[in-house]
Amino acid sequence: MVEIAPSILSADFTRLREDIEAVERGGATIVHVDVMDGHFVPNITIGLPVVRSLARATQLPLDTHLMISEPGRYAEQFVEAGARMVSVHIEADPHIHRTLSGIKKGGAQAGIVINPATSLSALDEALQFADYVLVMSVNPGFGGQQFIPTSIEKVRRLRRMIDERGLNVRIEIDGGIDRSNIKQVASAGAEIMVAGTAVFGEGDPARAVRELLSASAQLV
Ligand code: DX5
Ligand code: ZN
């Protein structure tokens, strides 16, 4: 089943509650929160205090995407702040087994994120410890970038890798997702679709989510 996870990075930060209510009306079932530290990626966004407030403002699960150096130092704090999904870049964490275990121990789902130029072979050993893998289809750091088309084949290969091992790992995709490519990434095996610009960029976020859901279900 396809789920839409709007990225609040492209929302209006002065009215986050209203924007989240709107995407929920449209059928979004997850809220994607991009945490950037200005070190792992060249941009600074939001952190723990905002996640704490959002957890009180919505019932939807918060999916925190940590684009930070040394994520092992902070991951469990995001769980305590109310995140129900926490993902960590494999490029940033030499001790990702420990970090993922800590996230799960806190009762949240643990995700591994891979950058566009990181090979799936980097997941070989770690895959079994994750609840989901987030495939980046742009280089992390900014909303509004162009989808990298080779991501579709990467999702397909990852889907095969997960299925061949009989694992119960979901695939999330993030970056440049819109009505034109959502069907293809869904067919390749992604189930959680992050979308920032395509949801908040056009004035009616509820309708944008509905349109993404219907585009993902269209027969090709
Ligand atoms: C990029 C972020 C994304 C971004 C997606 O670093 O991880 O979640 O907000 O935005 P769009 O959908 O505009 O590419
Ligand atoms: Zn993200």
Side-chain angles (χ1 to χ4, degrees):
M1 195 194 84
V2 165
E3 292 189 83
I4 308 293
S7 161
I8 58 162
L9 187 58
S10 303
D12 179 345
F13 278 23
T14 63
R15 29 173 296 138
L16 278 180
R17 185 195 293 270
E18 290 90 331
D19 276 354
I20 290 174
E21 284 167 0
V23 297
E24 188 170 13
R25 275 198 305 281
T29 42
I30 294 172
V31 174
H32 186 81
V33 181
D34 288 306
V35 178
M36 305 188 192
D37 66 352
H39 187 259
F40 179 67
V41 289
N43 196 7
I44 299 176
T45 55
I46 56 178
L48 287 161
V50 176
V51 172
R52 260 181 227 118
S53 299
L54 289 176
R56 286 195 297 268
T58 180
Q59 301 286 342
L60 292 181
L62 299 178
D63 163 32
T64 51
H65 172 193
L66 304 188
M67 285 161 275
I68 63 177
S69 300
E70 297 191 65
R73 285 179 62 188
Y74 302 98
E76 290 175 54
Q77 295 180 51
F78 280 90
V79 180
E80 282 158 25
R84 303 244 293 272
M85 298 167 71
V86 178
S87 62
V88 176
H89 274 262
I90 197 152
E91 302 87 0
D93 195 349
H95 309 294
I96 204 158
H97 171 267
R98 181 192 291 149
T99 309
L100 298 171
S101 304
I103 294 167
K104 289 186 191 174
K105 208 164 66 205
Q109 289 182 40
I112 304 175
V113 196
I114 49 169
N115 278 335
T118 301
S119 165
L120 288 182
S121 61
L123 293 177
D124 185 32
E125 200 60 35
L127 187 60
Q128 60 194 318
F129 308 125
D131 295 306
Y132 63 102
V133 173
L134 171 47
V135 174
M136 289 308 299
S137 42
V138 299
N139 291 293
F142 303 93
Q145 303 180 79
Q146 231 189 352
F147 181 79
I148 299 171
T150 49
S151 313
I152 294 170
E153 191 48 39
K154 193 176 190 182
V155 168
R156 195 170 287 128
R157 283 187 286 122
L158 175 59
R159 180 81 268 160
R160 208 176 304 137
M161 191 171 160
I162 292 167
D163 293 346
E164 277 171 8
R165 295 175 186 204
L167 295 171
N168 182 21
V169 176
R170 299 180 81 200
I171 301 177
E172 179 175 23
I173 187 154
D174 184 4
I177 298 297
D178 60 21
R179 289 196 299 269
S180 75
N181 54 28
I182 195 165
K183 174 70 206 181
Q184 272 180 299
V185 288
S187 306
E191 292 173 277
I192 305 170
M193 316 296 189
V194 178
T197 309
V199 168
F200 294 109
E202 284 172 23
D204 187 344
R207 195 180 71 185
V209 171
R210 275 194 292 275
E211 288 178 359
L212 283 171
L213 278 169
S214 72
S216 72
Q218 241 144 48
L219 298 170
V220 212

